[in-house]
């Protein structure tokens, strides 16, 4: 089992920044690629970003490219999502997730999920 706990969400004005963190515990962190997803009310959960187990490979949704950066610190068993130039349409609950071995962008392929952290961007 892998336990994931997100933090860092909050209320921010459009154009502002937030950094989300996801602390992992349980199995070996470096066995897993990590992803961030988000879900707004009434919408399906969507892929935001993912990072390989070693941190050398990343993937982003087109909607966040150039604004969001995913990173990980394997010594701290933590993955981060730096979000800049936030827009009201980024408002959602953000979830981190773990998938064994390789980056995937499909939520159903992920093995473990956190409880999520709310991000609200005001206009």
């Amino acid at each position: 089992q892998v336990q994931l706990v997100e933090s860092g969400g909050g209320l921010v004005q459009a154009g502002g920044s937030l950094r989300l963190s996801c602390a992992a515990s349980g199995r070996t962190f470096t066995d897993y690629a990590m992803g961030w997803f988000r879900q707004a009310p009434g919408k399906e959960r969507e892929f935001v970003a993912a990072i390989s187990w070693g941190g050398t490979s990343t993937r982003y949704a087109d909607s966040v490219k150039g604004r969001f950066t995913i990173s990980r610190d394997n010594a701290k068993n933590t993955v981060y999502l730096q979000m800049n130039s936030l827009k009201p349409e980024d408002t959602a609950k953000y979830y981190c997730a773990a998938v064994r071995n390789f980056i995937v962008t499909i939520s159903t392929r992920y093995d473990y999920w956190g409880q999520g952290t709310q991000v609200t961007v005001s206009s």
Side-chain angles (χ1 to χ4, degrees):
Q1 287 278 10
V2 175
Q3 291 78 42
L4 302 171
V5 179
E6 302 96 335
S7 61
L11 174 64
V12 64
Q13 288 189 332
S17 298
L18 283 174
R19 187 175 83 153
L20 305 184
S21 300
C22 174
S25 61
R27 292 183 181 268
T28 304
F29 187 57
T30 51
D31 284 347
Y32 295 86
M34 300 296 294
W36 286 97
F37 290 78
R38 65 187 182 187
Q39 188 167 19
K43 294 188 177 181
E44 292 188 355
R45 190 169 296 189
E46 65 172 354
F47 170 74
V48 175
I51 189 166
S52 61
W53 67 269
T56 56
S57 180
T58 57
R59 294 277 299 276
Y60 295 94
D62 288 343
S63 58
V64 307
K65 276 181 186 175
R67 300 188 298 122
F68 290 12
T69 302
I70 189 171
S71 62
R72 66 190 292 164
D73 184 339
N74 287 341
K76 295 182 178 180
N77 286 2
T78 301
V79 62
Y80 304 97
L81 185 68
Q82 178 67 44
M83 306 186 294
N84 298 328
S85 302
L86 282 161
K87 305 175 181 179
E89 51 263 44
D90 294 317
T91 295
K93 196 166 189 179
Y94 284 70
Y95 298 87
C96 75
V99 59
R100 196 165 177 86
N101 294 330
F102 304 112
I103 288 179
V104 294
T105 62
I106 302 171
S107 62
T108 53
R109 296 282 303 277
Y110 280 75
D111 302 304
Y112 302 102
W113 291 84
Q115 294 300 305
T117 186
Q118 179 67 37
V119 172
T120 303
V121 184
S122 63
S123 57

